[in-house]
Each structure stands twice: as structure tokens, then as C-alpha cells.
Amino acid sequence: MLTRLTRGLVAVGLTLTIAACATAPAADLTPPPMKQLDAKTQLESGRKF
């Protein structure tokens, strides 16, 4: 009984240790899309996107 409990606790501890060491997913570093300018701003600035 005690051996079974000890093995279970060791298995849970090993599982938690491996889960804590897992690498986090990489962050998304792509810039957000450019904001579209409205027609008036495009006309006044002379820039078209």
C-alpha cells in the first residue's frame, strides 16, 4: 500500500517537473496591419495606400 502511494507521488512529481520545464510557445512578432486612411486624409496628405 505504501509502496503504491510512493510510486504514485513520484509519478505525479515527475509529471509536474516535466510540465514546468516545457517551453512556452513563441510570441507572435509580426506587426499589426497598417490602419487604412479615410478618403479625406488621403486627399489632404497626397498619400494613397
Side-chain angles (χ1 to χ4, degrees), residues 14-33:
L14 183 62
T15 303
L16 291 175
T17 302
I18 291 172
C21 294
T23 58
D28 184 19
L29 299 177
T30 57

Side-chain angles (χ1 to χ4, degrees), residues 1-9:
M1 173 85 176
L2 188 58
T3 304
R4 207 167 144 193
L5 179 64
T6 304
R7 285 183 183 169
L9 289 175

